[in-house]
């Protein structure tokens, strides 16, 4: 005969297994460098999503909301634009990638809903995932530095373990494939731990490791986005302090941390180029945004050729290479969307982000502790102005956490 104690033991074991599954599932989103090229990058979270759907099939709720609907419309429009473009192969591959990541997002979000129903705190795995993410990235970086040695110039443009040599500077890429995109991935952890009111020692350690990783990426755009958003955080705290003056330790610790981070970032970026020839190259690239301004002008001229529906999804690189002799992406996601899918596609993409933003505001209105979601979103939007990242699992990971939070609020009210 099964007793109440036996039932509770079984439930406890099931909860432990779900928590372990949650950890591996979350972690799989933050190791994009581990992938298999099968015409597109098959990343670990993709087969894991299929496995999750099979294992938890009867317990998952694959519902669709307004933000999802807008993304599906955008994918459909992108797919149609590809059929009218020159580089069909790349366009169809991006369309396939967008569908795969959207499917993975739906499964992951549904799994988070299931975790909420079992009273499992999803953010509880953030600490372990962030510690592994940052520490492994640093280890790979220093292994890469050791492999490169003093022959930095001979490794120009190469990835060596956790290092990318870019204009004679060893930049951290860690478990991501690009130093600029690394900060994009790290941002949700940075703001989660940075805005956490009661920080334990491991929280602070994690934040320090993440900050060090971000500094070692030497990403001007990424670091600037972090500085700007943390400045907004401080301004928000300052005005709240004026309304209700309260000299707390956390207020002064936050102010001091912001000042120290900005100082170290500026000092690091200004002193990292200790060779005159490297300084000249970095200054010349900085003056033109590493050539971005010229790329953006080229992009606008391409958009004028087909302003309504664009030149075709994932065709910017082809046009820029063949017509302007620049083998570069747009380095601006919103401009790339405008050029490739026209005003129609850009409008839908903008509405997608607007709906996403509105959902975050709904979460914060009910639970102010989730303010980190808003600042992560703002930082990501700022970074997208310097990145070509139309589809990214990091964006959809944030979306899943946002809608998981809304679902949790809904359950608490019912």
């Amino acid at each position: 005969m099964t007793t109440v104690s036996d039932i509770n033991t079984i439930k406890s074991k099931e909860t432990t297994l779900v928590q372990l599954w949650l950890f591996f599932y979350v972690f799989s989103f933050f190791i994009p460098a581990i992938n298999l090229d099968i015409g597109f990058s098959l990343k670990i979270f993709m087969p894991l999503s299929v496995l999750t759907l099979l294992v938890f099939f009867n317990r998952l709720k694959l519902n669709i909301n307004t933000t999802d609907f807008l993304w599906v419309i955008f994918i459909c429009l992108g797919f149609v634009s590809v059929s009218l473009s020159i580089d069909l192969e790349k366009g169809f591959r991006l369309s396939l990638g967008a569908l795969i990541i959207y499917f993975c997002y739906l499964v992951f979000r549904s799994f988070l809903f299931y975790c909420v129903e079992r009273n499992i705190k999803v953010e509880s795995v953030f600490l372990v995932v962030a510690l592994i993410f940052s520490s492994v990235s640093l280890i790979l970086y220093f292994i890469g530095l050791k492999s490169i040695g003093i022959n930095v110039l001979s490794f120009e443009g190469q990835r060596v373990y956790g290092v990318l040599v870019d204009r004679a500077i060893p930049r951290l890429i860690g478990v991501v494939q690009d130093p600029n995109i690394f900060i994009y991935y790290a941002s949700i952890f940075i703001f989660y731990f940075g805005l956490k009111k009661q920080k334990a020692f491991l929280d602070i350690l994690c934040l320090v490791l993440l900050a060090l990783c971000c500094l070692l990426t030497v990403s001007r755009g990424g670091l600037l986005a972090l500085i700007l958003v943390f400045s907004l955080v401080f301004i928000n705290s300052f005005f709240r302090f004026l309304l209700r003056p309260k000299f707390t330790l956390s207020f002064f610790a936050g102010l001091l941390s912001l000042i120290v981070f900005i100082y170290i970032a500026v000092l690091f970026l200004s002193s990292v180029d200790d060779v005159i020839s490297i300084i000249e190259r970095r200054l010349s690239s900085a003056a033109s945004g590493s050539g971005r301004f010229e790329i953006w002008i080229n992009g606008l001229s391409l958009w004028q050729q087909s302003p309504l529906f664009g030149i075709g999804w994932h065709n910017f690189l082809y046009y820029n290479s063949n017509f302007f002799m620049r083998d570069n992406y747009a380095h601006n996601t919103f401009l790339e969307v405008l050029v490739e899918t026209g005003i129609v596609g850009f409008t839908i993409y903008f509405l997608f982000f607007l709906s996403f933003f509105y959902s975050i505001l709904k979460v914060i209105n009910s639970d102010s502790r989730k303010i980190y979601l808003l600042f992560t979103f703002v930082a990501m939007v700022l970074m997208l102005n310097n990145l070509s990242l139309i589809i990214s699992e990091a964006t959809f990971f944030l979306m899943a956490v946002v809608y998981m939070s809304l679902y949790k609020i809904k359950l608490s009210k019912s």
Side-chain angles (χ1 to χ4, degrees), residues 156-185:
E156 181 63 33
Q158 296 184 37
R159 290 175 171 83
V160 185
Y161 294 100
V163 174
L164 168 67
V165 180
D166 179 29
R167 282 162 287 189
I169 296 177
R171 304 175 64 185
L172 182 141
I173 56 174
V175 292
V176 187
Q177 295 171 306
D178 182 274
N180 301 307
I181 295 176
F182 182 93
I183 299 183
Y184 192 83
Y185 276 79

Side-chain angles (χ1 to χ4, degrees), residues 253-273:
L255 174 61
L256 181 61
S257 300
L258 176 63
I259 294 172
V260 169
F261 181 79
I262 294 174
Y263 175 76
I264 294 176
V266 173
L267 184 66
F268 185 81
L269 290 175
S270 62
S271 63
V272 70
D273 302 330

Side-chain angles (χ1 to χ4, degrees), residues 2-20:
T2 304
T3 64
V4 175
S5 177
D6 293 333
I7 294 173
N8 290 334
T9 302
I10 293 171
K11 287 184 177 180
S12 178
K13 289 181 178 179
E14 287 180 354
T15 299
T16 302
L17 289 173
V18 172
Q19 287 176 324
L20 284 172

Side-chain angles (χ1 to χ4, degrees), residues 121 127 191-200 203 372:
K121 189 178 179 182
L127 177 62
F191 289 103
Y192 173 74
F193 292 108
L195 299 178
K196 197 173 181 181
K197 290 185 177 180
Q198 295 180 337
K199 297 181 182 66
D203 296 328
Y372 77 93

